[in-house]
């Protein structure tokens, strides 16, 4: 039995090396870019805008395409240019004026030496899951505090709730304090778990996608919360309810903290289902 398990583990390890090592070797050929102080800002903005753009296109098309409106949580709402452009402008402004100086300082103080080997597939997946679970718990506490303490809400979190109906580009429409809090949680988690640089990169892609999807305003049959069993993942309908009612569904992704602490509110089923 032990020999059988050992052989399965060896197959998994070799498969992960066949998959991840070529990807990691390819990324290392871009080392001049990936190790520059500009990379974190460029990567973050390009990934974020790239994930938002499809939803922006859907919002533009939805008034003329009834099929799309079936999947909108608020079928009669489409963000205007006066809502979209300030959100995009704020994201660019904050990343250039605030995020870039911090990444420059971090780059100057602690240059990263890239390891020659890619991570094992099991290690990569487990670290990403743990990072998401940690981030979910940390932001839940932060989020509850910034709703329950009036001064914190008015000063730091209210800006994120200016758009009661969510849309993708409103994901990062937030105060600098909130943006840095989220970045701090990310940094602490990958540092605590000693994540491989490739794991960190993929985790950020996953985290940005889940955040954008949560604010997109679209509940599709293939949305993430419909792929995760047992209602463990809240998703876009869960988070949209928080934006409309304020006093429930504080966790960004998963539902267990809200259920345990009595702040969970189930989202109504969409008409198409």
């Amino acid at each position: 039995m032990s020999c059988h398990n050992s052989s399965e583990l060896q197959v998994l390890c070799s498969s992960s090396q066949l998959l991840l090592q070529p990807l990691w070797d390819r990324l290392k050929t871009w080392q001049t870019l990936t190790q520059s102080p500009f990379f974190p800002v460029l990567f973050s903005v390009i990934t974020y805008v790239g994930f938002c753009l499809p939803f922006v296109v859907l919002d533009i098309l939805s008034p003329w395409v009834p099929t799309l409106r079936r999947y909108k949580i608020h079928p009669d709402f489409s963000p205007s240019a006066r809502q979209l452009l300030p959100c995009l402008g704020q994201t660019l402004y904050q990343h250039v004026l605030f995020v870039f100086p911090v990444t420059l300082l971090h780059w100057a103080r602690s240059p990263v030496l890239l390891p020659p080997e890619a991570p094992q597939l099991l290690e990569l997946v487990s670290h990403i899951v743990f990072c998401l679970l940690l981030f979910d718990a940390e932001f839940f506490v932060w989020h509850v505090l910034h709703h329950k303490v009036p001064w914190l809400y008015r000063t730091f979190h209210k800006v994120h709730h200016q758009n009661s109906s969510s849309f993708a580009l409103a994901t990062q429409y937030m105060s600098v304090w909130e943006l840095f809090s989220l970045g701090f949680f990310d940094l602490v988690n990958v540092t605590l778990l000693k994540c491989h640089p490739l794991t960190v990169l993929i985790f950020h892609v996953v985290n940005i996608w889940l955040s954008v999807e949560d604010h997109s305003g679209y509940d599709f049959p293939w949305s993430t919360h419909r792929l995760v069993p047992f209602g463990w993942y809240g998703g876009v309908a869960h988070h949209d309810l928080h934006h409309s009612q304020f006093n429930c569904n504080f966790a960004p992704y998963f539902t267990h903290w809200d259920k345990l602490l009595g702040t969970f509110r189930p989202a109504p089923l969409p008409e198409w289902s």
Side-chain angles (χ1 to χ4, degrees):
M1 185 69 177
S2 61
C3 292
H4 179 68
N5 291 340
S6 177
S7 63
E8 284 186 341
L9 187 60
Q10 286 176 354
V11 169
L12 181 62
C13 290
S14 62
S15 299
S16 66
Q17 288 304 302
L18 287 172
L19 176 68
L20 296 178
Q21 191 62 48
L23 174 61
W24 181 236
D25 291 339
R26 180 66 177 170
L27 284 173
K28 285 193 296 179
T29 64
W30 294 76
Q31 192 166 337
T32 304
L33 172 63
T34 57
Q35 290 198 283
S36 78
F38 301 100
F39 179 72
V41 170
L42 288 173
F43 172 78
S44 177
V45 170
I46 291 171
T47 304
Y48 173 66
V49 174
F51 284 151
C52 287
L53 277 178
F55 293 111
V56 173
V57 172
L58 293 180
D59 283 333
I60 293 171
L61 294 176
S62 64
W64 293 277
V65 184
T67 303
L68 286 177
R69 292 200 297 275
R70 291 181 62 217
Y71 300 106
K72 285 179 70 73
I73 296 175
H74 304 284
D76 298 325
F77 169 76
S78 290
S80 65
R82 294 182 65 180
Q83 291 173 296
L84 294 169
L85 293 177
C87 290
L88 178 60
Q90 177 134 325
T91 295
L92 298 176
Y93 170 80
Q94 290 180 340
H95 276 77
V96 171
L97 261 68
F98 299 105
V99 178
F100 176 67
V102 172
T103 59
L104 181 62
L105 181 63
H106 183 263
W107 172 83
R109 290 176 60 110
S110 53
V112 177
L113 296 176
L114 299 180
E117 300 294 327
Q120 298 294 332
L121 182 60
L122 187 60
E123 174 195 320
L124 182 144
V125 172
S126 62
H127 277 178
I128 289 174
V129 171
F130 281 129
C131 281
L132 288 173
L133 288 169
L134 286 171
F135 178 85
D136 195 71
E138 292 154 351
F139 186 71
F140 177 82
V141 174
W142 187 100
H143 203 182
V144 169
L145 283 174
H146 283 71
H147 272 269
K148 299 299 183 184
V149 180
W151 178 80
L152 289 176
Y153 179 80
R154 288 194 310 269
T155 309
F156 299 117
H157 190 52
K158 186 178 180 180
V159 63
H160 185 62
H161 280 276
Q162 285 184 6
N163 298 291
S164 56
S165 296
S166 292
F167 52 95
L169 277 172
T171 304
Q172 291 189 5
Y173 193 67
M174 58 182 65
S175 66
V176 175
W177 165 249
E178 184 165 351
L179 183 67
F180 275 128
S181 297
L182 303 185
F184 176 74
F185 297 149
D186 281 353
L187 180 62
V188 166
N189 295 339
V190 298
T191 303
L192 282 175
L193 293 173
K194 298 181 179 178
C195 294
H196 189 281
L198 181 59
T199 306
V200 175
L201 205 64
I202 295 174
F203 164 66
H204 286 314
V205 171
V206 172
N207 204 20
I208 293 171
W209 164 251
L210 294 178
S211 298
V212 169
E213 186 191 43
D214 268 7
H215 292 84
S216 68
Y218 286 88
D219 187 357
F220 291 113
W222 55 83
S223 294
T224 304
H225 68 285
R226 301 194 177 279
L227 306 178
V228 179
F230 311 120
W232 191 35
Y233 187 87
V236 58
H238 174 264
H239 193 69
D240 186 85
L241 204 60
H242 168 76
H243 273 266
S244 60
Q245 299 187 12
F246 296 101
N247 61 349
C248 63
N249 300 352
F250 292 103
Y253 303 142
F254 303 101
T255 58
H256 54 277
W257 291 115
D258 283 302
K259 288 177 178 177
L260 284 169
L261 296 172
T263 54
F264 176 75
R265 192 164 299 166
L269 291 172
E271 290 183 9
W272 59 260
S273 67

